[in-house]
Every structure is written in structure tokens, then in C-alpha cells.
Amino acid sequence: MSRINKNVVLALLTLTSSAFLLFQLYYYKHYLSTRNGAGLSKSKGSRIGFDSTQWRAVKKFIMLTSNQNVPVFLIDPLILELINKNFEQVKNTSQGSISQCTFFCVPRDFTAFALQYHLWKNEEGWFRIAENMGFQCLKIESKDPRLDGIDSLSGTEIPLHYICKLAAHAIHLVVFHERSGNYLWHGHLRLKEHIDRKFVPFRKLQFGRYPGAFDSSGITGMSHCTQKIPSNLEMAQYLDDNTVEAMAFRKSAKELLQLAAKTLNKLGVPFWLSSGTCLGWYRQCNIIPYSKDVDLGIFIQDYKSDIILAFQDAGLPLKHKFGKVEDSLELSFQGKDDVKLDIFFFYEETDHMWNGGTQAKTGKKFKYLFPKFTLCWTEFVDMKVHVPCETLEYIEANYGLLPGACQIFL
């Protein structure tokens, strides 16, 4: 009997010690290794990071584009922000000693790259290889706005976005097209009826909610990609005026806007579309034919004393000058075909901005108040120009409540 009891006790001790050993192994694996891994990922990237889903997708994509000589560049705002924050560390670290996974392994659904379409020589071959490497690719096309009005070409579609998915991570390839104003443009991502809405979480895409316009010079830096976009606006339809008179005015107004932009850019004076010109861009995506002038805004701190002379040298004589630099300055220049250029100077207060106005006939002065705003890039009549980012608030401060907009650009 005593021998049996000893065997039972021995078996119990063996079982208990084995259970305790298994618990120690479990604790080490799931708690201590996790903590150590977190420390590693903060410095050079842990093995877990290198094996992450997004890193595998990005590595394969970079390998694919490199082997096929496809000139892509990184535009992902999250990764660019991380690189920018750690720029000094990256710059002062020898090649290979800092892990790329430090930046690319940040959890997310997409990584955004871009390419200039005219430099892509073998599109079809690239996609065949991508599919052989395990990617599922989706091509999104739409009408080329550069061909609108050309009967034989209007409606021609061009590629705007490519989305290539590998496992749970997707590469968003934004296609940049050259525009006549010497800048690059990408289109709105609109899903056609046949496209599977569950292919990827499209709502999380950083690019595509609006078209975008960017400088073509220094494209590798892409710092302008971090700029804000105008507020989300509803869609509305306005009948277009295609009479001979309207077309003639728009042509003259466009030429005047181009000349004004060239003059101000040469002076280094930033400006934005204001008043009726901003309203036309917002509401009708075009110049309002009955406005009879072009309106620009400039912050008073950007005023330069030679601005009047510069416009006169450009062939635009001064028609009116109201107010003074320290109060309610407004300049008006006479363009050809009786189209006028009005420049309103804006003054900043603690909680608002304002510009002054003067009635030419009576000399009566007005003060127009605006909520504070910042500036964003947009595309308008084949030009890259600024508009207030807080577009709706800005226009409603000028004109009251509006029903909606045609479309909004970056």
C-alpha cells in the first residue's frame, strides 16, 4: 500500500512540475518575447516587422518595378511623415544600418506610390508579371479631360489608378499625367458598376477622393503631396453657357488670369482665386461668363511696392487704386476686351480676416469679414492655382449660402 502511495505521489509531482515548466515556456513566448520585440521594432525593426504582410507586399512591388524599369516614387503621406520626422537620423546613418521596415511596416491597408504615365513603356507586360508574383491588380480608367470638346477624341479613357493587392495589403499606384500648364495631374477615383466594392477598403485611400495638381519640377521630393485638400463638398449641376459671347469672354478672362499669374509668380507674390472667380471654380468649374472680371486675393504682408509697375510693364494699366497699404488696399487693372483684373488685399486679425471694398462711383467703403483660412492647390482652366482650403466657408462669407459644387481638386 505504501509503495502505491509513493508512486502516486511521484506521478503527481512529475505532472505538477511538467505543468509548471509548460507555463514558464508559455509566459516566456507570449509576454517576454513580445516586450523584447517591441523594443527591437522601435529601433531597427524586429524579425516580426520584416515578416509583416505590408512589408512583403512593398518589397515585392519595389522588386517588380525595379526589374521592369518602371520609374515610381513614394507619395504615401504616413510614410513620408515618418521619414521627415526621422530625416536627420536617416541622413546620418550609414546605408544598411537602419531598417526600411522602420517606416514601411507601420500598420495600414495601403501603401501609395505614383508614376508619370508617359514614362511607362511596358504596362501590359508589367501586369502579367505582377499577377505571376501573386498580386491581384485592378485598373481604374476614366475620360481624359484634356480631350473634352474635341469631337473625334472626347470620351477617350486613360488610366488613373492601379490597385495591386497581395494578401491583406494593397499597393495604390496613382497615375500622373502631364498638363499643358507645365504641371502634373491625377484624376478622381470613380468606381464603375462592374468593380467589386469589397476588393479593398476604397474609403481609406489617401489619393483619389479628388483630382490633384502638382508641380512637375522636383517631383522626387513630393513635399507638396502633404498639402491639405479643400473641404468635402456636395455635387450640383449648372447649365453651361456656350454662346459666342460667353466663349469669347472666357477666352479673354483665361488669358488675363494667365498673364496675372505669370506676373505675380515672377514677383514671388502668392495669390489665390477670390470672389466671383473662386465662385465660378467652385460652383461651375469654369469662369462665370457674366462676371466681366477676374478676381484674385493676396495677403497684405505679401504686397510689394513694385507690383503696379510690374502689371503695367505686362501691358495691364492701372484703372483704380482704392485704400492704402495699411487699410483696405484694392487694385484694379484693365485687360484687353474690356475684361478687368481686381486684386483684393486681405488683412488678418486675431479671429478673422477681412478685405476692404470701395464703390467706384460713390467712394463708399465696405469691410468684408472672412473666417480664417489656409490655401490649397487646384486645377482651373489648365492652370495650377491656389484657392482657400475652407472653400465653402470662404464663399458663403462673400455670397451667402450656396447649394453645392461641381467638383473639388487638390
Side-chain angles (χ1 to χ4, degrees):
M1 186 72 178
S2 59
R3 180 179 295 277
I4 296 175
N5 287 340
K6 287 181 180 179
N7 290 337
V8 170
V9 170
L10 182 62
L12 289 173
L13 288 173
T14 304
L15 183 62
T16 303
S17 61
S18 299
F20 184 71
L21 179 61
L22 289 172
F23 172 78
Q24 286 180 309
L25 291 172
Y26 176 84
Y27 180 82
Y28 177 80
K29 180 180 179 181
H30 289 277
Y31 291 92
L32 294 182
S33 63
T34 301
R35 291 176 60 187
N36 292 337
L40 285 171
S41 63
K42 287 181 180 178
S43 56
K44 292 187 178 182
S46 65
R47 175 60 57 185
I48 294 172
F50 275 107
D51 293 337
S52 69
T53 302
Q54 57 261 37
W55 179 232
R56 289 199 302 273
V58 170
K59 275 198 302 185
K60 278 197 171 186
F61 176 79
I62 293 174
M63 185 191 312
L64 172 63
T65 55
S66 177
N67 291 341
Q68 296 297 309
N69 294 318
V70 179
V72 300
F73 45 91
L74 180 69
I75 59 171
D76 193 286
L78 176 60
I79 299 176
L80 289 176
E81 183 179 358
L82 286 174
I83 294 174
N84 187 52
K85 286 180 179 178
N86 296 276
F87 180 72
E88 289 301 320
Q89 178 189 358
V90 175
K91 186 175 67 172
N92 298 325
T93 304
S94 59
Q95 186 175 3
S97 62
I98 185 168
S99 167
Q100 292 171 308
C101 199
T102 302
F103 307 113
F104 283 101
C105 287
V106 178
R108 64 199 183 282
D109 295 290
F110 298 93
T111 300
F113 291 87
L115 63 80
Q116 298 183 58
Y117 189 66
H118 71 282
L119 299 177
W120 199 356
K121 305 301 182 185
N122 185 24
E123 179 184 354
E124 295 301 325
W126 186 91
F127 278 104
R128 283 196 300 271
I129 297 173
E131 289 175 354
N132 291 336
M133 293 177 70
F135 284 101
Q136 294 176 274
C137 292
L138 178 67
K139 180 179 182 179
I140 298 171
E141 297 179 305
S142 190
K143 293 179 181 179
D144 189 345
R146 296 169 296 184
L147 304 178
D148 285 348
I150 305 177
D151 293 337
S152 60
L153 297 175
S154 183
T156 301
E157 293 197 336
I158 55 174
L160 299 179
H161 299 266
Y162 296 97
I163 297 175
C164 291
K165 182 173 67 172
L166 184 68
H169 192 71
I171 303 297
H172 181 197
L173 187 57
V174 184
V175 183
F176 279 39
H177 295 270
E178 289 185 315
R179 302 304 290 264
S180 58
N182 193 30
Y183 60 91
L184 299 175
W185 168 89
H186 74 76
H188 183 189
L189 194 156
R190 288 189 176 94
L191 298 180
K192 297 181 179 180
E193 292 183 2
H194 69 277
I195 293 178
D196 180 8
R197 265 62 176 173
K198 296 180 180 180
F199 182 70
V200 292
F202 289 100
R203 292 182 179 275
K204 294 183 180 181
L205 289 172
Q206 295 282 344
F207 294 86
R209 286 189 298 161
Y210 312 99
F214 304 98
D215 285 325
S216 58
S217 58
I219 194 68
T220 52
M222 290 301 292
S223 59
H224 44 258
C225 280
T226 61
Q227 294 200 36
K228 289 183 281 185
I229 58 176
S231 305
N232 190 18
L233 304 170
E234 299 298 325
M235 305 290 283
Q237 295 295 325
Y238 285 82
L239 294 176
D240 198 12
D241 186 351
N242 292 317
T243 61
V244 175
E245 294 78 8
M247 299 288 282
F249 170 76
R250 282 178 172 153
K251 181 176 182 296
S252 298
K254 177 181 176 181
E255 291 174 354
L256 179 58
L257 179 58
Q258 289 173 332
L259 182 57
K262 181 179 179 180
T263 304
L264 291 171
N265 289 337
K266 190 174 181 180
L267 288 172
V269 175
F271 68 94
W272 66 90
L273 304 183
S274 190
S275 301
T277 306
C278 187
L279 176 63
W281 163 78
Y282 167 82
R283 192 179 65 181
Q284 291 154 257
C285 292
N286 210 332
I287 295 169
I288 299 175
Y290 51 82
S291 60
K292 303 305 179 187
D293 56 22
V294 171
D295 301 308
L296 302 180
I298 295 175
F299 292 120
I300 192 61
Q301 60 265 30
D302 294 320
Y303 170 81
K304 292 188 177 181
S305 58
D306 56 347
I307 191 170
I308 295 176
L309 180 60
F311 275 103
Q312 290 177 333
D313 289 343
L316 300 174
L318 182 68
K319 185 173 183 177
H320 296 297
K321 179 183 178 182
F322 298 114
K324 45 191 177 182
V325 175
E326 57 270 21
D327 179 28
S328 305
L329 182 62
E330 178 187 343
L331 301 177
S332 182
F333 298 91
Q334 185 60 60
K336 69 176 186 178
D337 301 324
D338 205 31
V339 182
K340 188 162 55 80
L341 171 68
D342 291 329
I343 299 179
F344 303 97
F345 289 86
F346 280 67
Y347 300 76
E348 185 172 2
E349 303 291 347
T350 304
D351 59 351
H352 67 278
M353 296 180 180
W354 63 276
N355 75 277
T358 306
Q359 252 184 6
K361 292 182 179 180
T362 64
K364 189 176 181 179
K365 294 182 66 176
F366 300 90
K367 189 174 184 178
Y368 301 97
L369 304 183
F370 295 81
K372 286 198 168 184
F373 59 88
T374 50
L375 298 179
C376 291
W377 288 114
T378 187
E379 183 188 34
F380 183 61
V381 293
D382 297 324
M383 297 178 61
K384 188 172 78 75
V385 292
H386 274 124
V387 292
C389 300
E390 299 75 14
T391 314
L392 186 57
E393 293 87 347
Y394 181 88
I395 294 178
E396 288 186 344
N398 227 351
Y399 297 101
L401 295 176
L402 295 176
C406 61
Q407 57 186 357
I408 295 301
F409 302 120
L410 243 204

